[in-house]
Amino acid sequence: MDHRRWTASDQGPTAVGALAQTVDGYLWLGTHDSLYRFDGFEFEKFEPADGEPLGVVSALASTTEGLWVGFRIGGARLISANGEMLPVDPGLPDGVVYSIAEDQQGRVWVAADEGLAIHDGTGWRPIGQERGFTGRHARAVHVDTDGYIWAASEEELYMLPPGAPSFMGTGIRSQSFSAIASSPSGDVWITDRSSERLLRLTNKGFASVEFEEIPISNASSIVLDEQGGAWLGTRGSGLYYLADGKMHVPTEGRDVISSYTARDGLSSDYVLAQFIDRDGTLWVGTDAGLDRLDRNDLTPLALSNGVGSTALAVDDDGLLWVGSDNGQLKGIRNTRHSTLEVDMPINSLVNSEQHGLLIGGHQGIFSLADDELVRIAALPVQSTPESAVRAMVVGKNGDIWVSVNREGLFVWSHEQWQYIDPFSDSERQVMPVSASRGPSGKLWFGYRDNLLVSYAEQTFERWSYQEGLDIGHVTAMLHLPERTWVGGQHGLAYLKDGRFHRLDLPAAESFQNIYALVAVPAEKSVEEPGMDIWVHSRGGIFKLPAAEIDRVIAGGDTLLYSSHDHIGRLPMDPHKVLPLPTGVSTPEGSLWFATGQGVVRVDPHKPSDMTHPPVISIQALTADGVEIDISAAPVRLSAAPQRLVIDYSALNLAAPENMRFQYRLSGHDAQWVDAGRSRQAVFSRLPPGNYEFHVRVLDVSGQFHRPNKALIFNVPQVFYLRPWFLLLFSGALLALVFWISRVYTQREKAALRTRLEERFHERERIARELHDTLLQSVQGMMLSFQAVADSLPKESRARHAMEHALDRAEQVIVEGRDRITGLRGEIAPAEDLAVAFQLLQQEADASVSVAYRVSNVGQPLTLRNEVRDVFYQVGREAVFNALRHAEATQISVTFTYAKDRFEMLVADDGVGIDPLYQRMRGRPGHGGLRGIYELADRIEATLMIVSSDRSGTRIRLSLSGTIAYAKALDDKQNRSIRAG
């Protein structure tokens, strides 16, 4: 039996005193604190609509109307099929409700402490002496398969035949009847708690019974399985089991009564209730929790104690041989068993035509002949337990190929060992970890890290990652006529057209570390015959149907497979070498696997014991932690969630751990997502749209089931992503940006204009004061000195000196007036700067050999005084530098009047400006170049100087047209500027 239990540490209820299964498949548990519903995974506490606590539930019965619940404090209530607890019907006798049963007419019988009663659909009617039940107290009631109603009082057992008006006494008396049950054959079983006996009644007809007493102590509950076996629950001794319902004769190694107690794993020895569900699973309620016992699909092989890892092989006679790490070699076929002791751990077993069964270990290679071991050869290395045989295979000519741990690959041929050079320089690929022989006699050797080598006709062939082999360590091989398969660390691959291809498998973690591949003919019900592949991995045993393999290879999605992983896990001992392969098949069709629970047998064509398919349902939808009502379809969410969680489950009490779920969200998932045993799908940041959530469950037989309908829901578009909002927001944003830009530009223009006007007014004030004070004073002084000079003789040296000084003073006055005119913005006599710059060559007294040119580009426009002054001073300094210092032969001055900018370019072909002085913005002690930069900064103009000794100097000064020009441009020009 496969046993599973739930206790308080598993979030399960305790003190389970009543069990029942409703027509929808749920298991109901009556406990000392309430009522629970169980789907095989989670316990759900039943909460009545009125919120009143239920208290101790003492009896449960599933009927056509729903679930009847009896209570310790008295009374019984019905929970309808839709989960509603109906009001109390009057008339039921008081006291503890011990048992509830439904007869063939749909009437409900209740055995309560204060009497027996029947519910006829309208209310309760007590059953007393007028109906033949003379007891004051009722202890149990039961309806058998023939329709007989059995009721026990505190003194006697009564029987009501079908159609009879009243009960009849059976003459069987006791004060401690506790439970009544019946078998499919019609026998009635009664536990007598205090008398330490079990009664088995045979109905001989109307009011005639025969019974036998089976001595057993402390039995308080009983159920009967489909095989006729009786399971007895005791208060302190666990479970008793009577196979075939009979007391067997004691034999060696077999007890009179089989027992299962807390020492064997039962949650407690104090059994309160038992129940066998519709799939034949036994449920046991104890004071500590809930237990499930089910018959295994995998039959374990009895081996001696202390066996860890085992090697498997099948000889030519179909005999299964099991070699263990404790040196025991055992042959099994049906009832035939033979055992041999070998003085070494057995690491490898191989059957061969030439040598029969070969046994490999650290002491050498042996063959089995007439139940005796014959040593063929010692290993070619020093004999130590670490010198384990990792793999072994026999060639067509009888050569024995042996992989020795950490040493390499050797072949025994012509009575001597030959070392095979490694096929890789990696230390991890010194020796093969697996070996096999194909149908044609080709030998195959699997290495670590994606290396596979074959040998045929004296030639080795090598496959690696470059040939598509991408499964890690090659630990399993299977050679079929249509293709060769290899399994390893990371799944399965098959050979096609000289390359390996990975088989797309769901739940990849289940197919990690594959150690055996076994082929089995497909089931007869399959239309196209083929070979199913049974995979033994570290996670368990799985069957890949042939049709599914072909479908996925052809491009299909999500391979469907059946699982036996709850018992097929491999033993993983890091100190021992795992013998390979871990699975073989025998001629009669059985599969044998070496697992962590020992060697087990699987019938590959045995139908599933599951008579009812799992019922799958979508239970809840949660958006950002808030549960959404999914009763109405389609479901419309109020907002787009960041995290969406969908809970689903499947009702399968027989083997819930073997079910695997797959889901697909239409509109999000392109194919089915394998969720394994997870019962929750999580989605993050789903885009707006309509979605359909589909889920299906794969049962132990490889069939999938779906709920009646999918979950349809809508994720709304957030308002700020709707087209109309985006359009309005974009327009408003553009308008705001345009308005801010316009306001900023106007403010900057006004600020700059204010600064220029302030500077201009300040310069006018300075010019006026200089003209009215300094120049007038100097002029007066000159008149005085002129009078003195005129009084001197004309030939006097003093007069000539005075006249010369007065000429110089007059020149100073002229220059001062020019400066004052410049301060007032009146640098050039004409509005056009080009005219003023044409006179600069004469003013500088430059050589006439210099080609000097001034030009305008565009129609000249009126400049602001400050701008004209700065441009004139910068250009004048640039022209004078070119004429006096640059040794230039060509000088050009170009003024560009554009709508959006005013620009001046002074270019010459002279010797250029020293790069050092360019970086310093002028020569120390000279202010010309530095003054140019200061003038440009004054009006925030852009100054760019490019100079070299090869190409001369280019000085470019530019300013925005809105700042440079004095008069506003027309509308067309303004539009051009704004567009720019």
Side-chain angles (χ1 to χ4, degrees):
M1 303 287 288
D2 178 39
H3 174 232
R4 172 78 187 275
R5 70 179 185 181
W6 294 265
T7 60
S9 61
D10 305 303
Q11 287 75 48
T14 58
V16 180
L19 295 165
Q21 185 179 29
T22 48
V23 293
D24 56 8
Y26 282 97
L27 183 71
W28 291 80
L29 292 74
T31 72
H32 281 196
D33 67 339
S34 189
L35 179 66
Y36 292 84
R37 191 176 73 166
F38 185 51
D39 63 356
F41 301 97
E42 296 180 351
F43 297 91
E44 179 185 358
K45 188 175 182 179
F46 178 79
E47 300 288 351
D50 55 13
E52 181 180 354
L54 298 179
V56 179
V57 176
S58 57
L60 293 172
S62 177
T63 67
T64 55
E65 294 182 332
L67 179 70
W68 281 95
V69 184
F71 302 99
R72 174 70 61 85
I73 61 174
R77 298 183 69 177
L78 176 66
I79 299 177
S80 63
N82 60 6
E84 179 184 1
M85 180 169 275
L86 303 182
V88 178
D89 288 332
L92 184 67
D94 294 334
V96 180
V97 174
Y98 290 108
S99 64
I100 306 173
E102 183 184 31
D103 62 20
Q104 294 179 341
Q105 288 75 38
R107 299 173 299 180
V108 177
W109 296 80
V110 168
D113 186 59
E114 295 297 324
L116 183 68
I118 183 174
H119 194 284
D120 57 4
T122 59
W124 295 104
R125 291 192 297 108
I127 303 297
Q129 294 183 0
E130 74 283 357
R131 294 287 302 272
F133 188 81
T134 59
R136 291 183 54 196
H137 308 282
R139 294 290 182 260
V141 64
H142 175 73
V143 179
D144 66 16
T145 56
D146 297 326
Y148 284 79
I149 300 172
W150 302 83
S153 70
E154 77 283 9
E155 296 179 350
E156 187 179 358
L157 177 68
Y158 297 87
M159 176 182 66
L160 178 63
S166 60
F167 282 89
M168 301 177 184
T170 61
I172 302 173
R173 305 182 66 84
S174 175
Q175 295 182 354
S176 57
F177 291 137
S178 57
I180 307 174
S182 59
S183 67
S185 63
D187 291 342
V188 177
W189 297 73
I190 304 172
T191 58
D192 195 349
R193 183 174 61 254
S194 300
S195 300
E196 296 188 353
R197 64 173 181 169
L198 176 67
L199 300 179
R200 179 181 181 182
L201 281 65
T202 302
N203 192 352
K204 293 297 184 179
F206 191 81
S208 176
V209 295
E210 292 182 358
F211 69 92
E212 63 172 322
E213 295 185 359
I214 301 175
I216 195 167
S217 61
N218 209 23
S220 59
S221 63
I222 181 173
V223 290
L224 302 169
D225 58 26
E226 294 181 352
Q227 290 75 28
W231 294 87
L232 305 172
T234 69
R235 304 294 174 96
S237 301
L239 285 176
Y240 292 152
Y241 179 66
L242 275 65
D244 304 325
K246 297 178 181 180
M247 188 72 101
H248 295 276
V249 178
T251 59
E252 183 179 357
R254 182 176 183 180
D255 296 331
V256 176
I257 299 177
S258 300
S259 64
Y260 194 75
T261 66
R263 290 185 176 182
D264 304 307
L266 197 66
S267 61
S268 172
D269 286 334
Y270 204 80
V271 178
L272 303 178
Q274 296 178 91
F275 179 74
I276 294 180
D277 66 18
R278 62 192 186 186
D279 292 318
T281 302
L282 172 65
W283 298 88
V284 181
T286 72
D287 64 342
L290 178 69
D291 294 76
R292 187 193 73 194
L293 288 93
D294 196 10
R295 298 186 183 275
N296 282 330
D297 290 334
L298 298 102
T299 307
L301 178 65
L303 298 174
S304 61
N305 293 331
V307 173
S309 58
T310 53
L312 304 178
V314 179
D315 64 15
D316 293 336
D317 296 329
L319 193 66
L320 172 70
W321 290 95
V322 180
S324 62
D325 56 0
N326 65 356
Q328 186 181 84
L329 180 64
K330 192 168 187 176
I332 304 105
R333 184 174 184 181
N334 298 330
T335 59
R336 174 188 170 189
H337 287 228
S338 59
T339 303
L340 289 86
E341 298 296 333
V342 183
D343 189 21
M344 67 174 183
I346 299 175
N347 304 125
S348 181
L349 290 178
V350 173
N351 182 58
S352 66
E353 300 174 1
Q354 298 86 348
H355 306 284
L357 184 68
L358 292 178
I359 302 99
H362 72 275
Q363 294 185 8
I365 307 301
F366 298 80
S367 66
L368 183 63
D370 299 329
D371 293 336
E372 292 186 2
L373 293 179
V374 179
R375 183 170 180 173
I376 294 178
L379 293 184
V381 297
Q382 183 179 0
S383 177
T384 64
E386 287 75 20
S387 302
V389 176
R390 294 299 301 265
M392 189 164 53
V393 68
V394 179
K396 290 191 295 185
N397 57 359
D399 297 344
I400 303 175
W401 296 71
V402 178
S403 172
V404 181
N405 192 36
R406 303 177 183 174
E407 300 295 336
L409 179 62
F410 300 84
V411 57
W412 175 260
S413 178
H414 304 294
E415 302 298 321
Q416 63 180 0
W417 288 105
Q418 177 186 351
Y419 178 67
I420 305 299
D421 292 332
F423 297 93
S424 170
D425 296 332
S426 173
E427 294 182 359
R428 294 170 52 84
Q429 296 175 332
V430 171
M431 78 289 177
V433 295
S434 62
S436 66
R437 177 176 168 179
S440 63
K442 179 184 287 189
L443 304 183
W444 298 79
F445 302 96
Y447 290 78
R448 293 189 179 103
D449 301 331
N450 298 307
L451 177 60
L452 180 67
V453 175
S454 67
Y455 175 76
E457 306 298 335
Q458 306 296 317
T459 302
F460 290 99
E461 191 173 1
R462 185 179 184 273
W463 285 271
S464 63
Y465 186 80
Q466 286 71 24
E467 288 73 36
L469 190 61
D470 186 20
I471 59 172
H473 305 342
V474 182
T475 50
M477 288 175 274
L478 175 63
H479 308 284
L480 299 177
E482 62 273 13
R483 58 178 69 95
T484 290
W485 291 90
V486 292
Q489 277 181 299
H490 310 303
L492 277 173
Y494 59 92
L495 182 62
K496 180 181 179 182
D497 299 330
R499 288 187 60 83
F500 279 93
H501 305 269
R502 286 277 295 271
L503 181 67
D504 187 16
L505 293 170
E509 65 276 4
S510 299
F511 295 93
Q512 298 293 309
N513 299 99
I514 296 173
Y515 296 107
L517 299 172
V518 184
V520 176
E523 299 179 7
K524 296 180 180 180
S525 59
V526 179
E527 296 181 0
E528 298 182 2
M531 300 296 286
D532 298 337
I533 297 179
W534 287 71
V535 178
H536 193 199
S537 73
R538 185 173 61 186
I541 300 170
F542 309 94
K543 184 182 81 170
L544 310 183
E548 284 295 300
I549 295 173
D550 293 337
R551 183 180 63 81
V552 172
I553 290 178
D557 63 344
T558 313
L559 186 144
L560 306 180
Y561 63 93
S562 59
S563 168
H564 299 266
D565 59 346
H566 67 292
I567 196 173
R569 291 180 175 86
L570 283 163
M572 302 303 292
D573 188 344
H575 301 288
K576 293 181 181 180
V577 173
L578 183 67
L580 299 177
T582 58
V584 296
S585 62
T586 55
E588 69 269 15
S590 296
L591 305 181
W592 295 87
F593 297 97
T595 73
Q597 291 78 25
V599 178
V600 298
R601 182 180 67 87
V602 177
D603 182 357
H605 297 306
K606 178 185 176 182
S608 172
D609 292 333
M610 187 185 301
T611 57
H612 295 82
V615 179
I616 185 169
S617 61
I618 299 173
Q619 298 179 325
L621 173 67
T622 306
D624 293 334
V626 179
E627 186 169 341
I628 308 299
D629 182 18
I630 60 175
S631 58
V635 178
R636 181 173 177 82
L637 304 180
S638 58
Q642 297 293 313
R643 187 172 186 266
L644 193 73
V645 180
I646 301 176
D647 294 301
Y648 51 86
S649 186
L651 180 60
N652 177 15
L653 299 177
E657 64 274 9
N658 283 345
M659 294 193 304
R660 297 184 354 270
F661 292 89
Q662 296 176 346
Y663 64 81
R664 181 173 63 187
L665 184 62
S666 298
H668 180 269
D669 299 319
Q671 59 184 9
W672 289 95
V673 177
D674 195 276
R677 297 176 184 174
S678 174
R679 285 162 172 73
Q680 193 176 79
V682 180
F683 304 95
S684 299
R685 300 179 181 275
L686 284 176
N690 296 317
Y691 296 92
E692 287 189 18
F693 180 78
H694 300 268
V695 62
R696 64 185 184 184
V697 61
L698 303 174
D699 60 24
V700 69
S701 64
Q703 302 298 317
F704 64 86
H705 310 272
R706 297 186 182 184
N708 295 330
K709 58 182 180 180
L711 173 62
I712 303 175
F713 62 92
N714 172 266
V715 175
Q717 180 74 272
V718 292
F719 74 93
Y720 53 81
L721 291 180
R722 296 182 182 275
W724 60 267
F725 181 85
L726 290 175
L727 183 61
L728 291 178
F729 180 78
S730 300
L733 182 61
L734 289 174
L736 178 63
V737 170
F738 177 78
W739 178 78
I740 292 176
S741 175
R742 185 178 181 85
V743 170
Y744 177 79
T745 302
Q746 291 177 349
R747 289 181 59 185
E748 289 298 312
K749 288 169 59 177
L752 181 58
R753 187 180 297 110
T754 300
R755 289 197 301 270
L756 293 176
E757 290 176 352
E758 289 175 352
R759 291 176 182 175
F760 183 75
H761 292 320
E762 181 66 15
R763 293 176 65 182
E764 280 190 334
R765 183 186 65 80
I766 295 172
R768 184 170 55 253
E769 290 180 356
L770 289 175
H771 182 271
D772 295 341
T773 58
L774 181 61
L775 292 183
Q776 295 296 334
S777 299
V778 172
Q779 186 72 31
M781 292 175 62
M782 287 180 62
L783 291 175
S784 299
F785 279 106
Q786 185 66 48
V788 174
D790 290 340
S791 65
L792 295 176
K794 294 184 179 180
E795 294 82 6
S796 173
R797 294 181 61 184
R799 180 170 179 165
H800 289 293
M802 187 70 72
E803 291 285 350
H804 182 70
L806 288 173
D807 291 340
R808 288 293 302 155
E810 186 177 2
Q811 185 178 357
V812 169
I813 291 176
V814 172
E815 290 180 356
R817 285 198 181 98
D818 291 341
R819 291 298 178 183
I820 292 173
T821 304
L823 285 173
R824 286 173 168 164
E826 300 172 358
I827 298 299
E831 291 294 334
D832 188 358
L833 283 175
V835 176
F837 270 82
Q838 287 174 355
L839 302 175
L840 288 181
Q841 185 179 19
Q842 301 175 6
E843 181 181 348
D845 194 18
S847 174
V848 296
S849 62
V850 177
Y852 181 70
R853 182 173 58 87
V854 180
S855 61
N856 288 331
V857 176
Q859 180 66 34
L861 299 173
T862 303
L863 300 173
R864 297 184 187 277
N865 293 335
E866 178 75 4
V867 174
R868 186 178 63 226
D869 185 12
V870 170
F871 272 75
Y872 178 78
Q873 293 182 60
V874 171
R876 184 174 183 274
E877 183 67 26
V879 171
F880 280 5
N881 285 338
L883 291 172
R884 296 171 180 173
H885 308 296
E887 301 178 7
T889 60
Q890 292 184 6
I891 301 174
S892 65
V893 181
T894 305
F895 296 99
T896 301
Y897 294 87
K899 296 178 181 179
D900 57 346
R901 78 185 191 284
F902 174 63
E903 182 178 284
M904 176 182 67
L905 174 62
V906 180
D908 66 68
D909 61 352
V911 297
I913 304 174
D914 191 319
L916 175 62
Y917 299 149
Q918 288 190 57
R919 290 192 297 271
M920 295 173 61
R921 289 196 171 186
R923 182 182 302 178
H926 295 74
L929 191 59
R930 184 176 291 108
I932 288 178
Y933 280 101
E934 292 175 353
L935 288 168
D937 291 339
R938 193 198 314 178
I939 62 172
E940 299 181 1
T942 302
L943 176 64
M944 184 172 63
I945 301 177
V946 179
S947 180
S948 70
D949 56 356
R950 296 181 179 179
S951 59
T953 303
R954 295 171 64 86
I955 299 177
R956 186 186 304 273
L957 184 66
S958 63
L959 185 65
S960 170
T962 58
I963 305 296
Y965 302 128
K967 296 181 179 180
L969 301 177
D970 57 24
D971 293 340
K972 183 177 181 180
Q973 290 174 326
N974 274 322
R975 287 195 298 271
S976 300
I977 292 173
R978 288 196 295 269

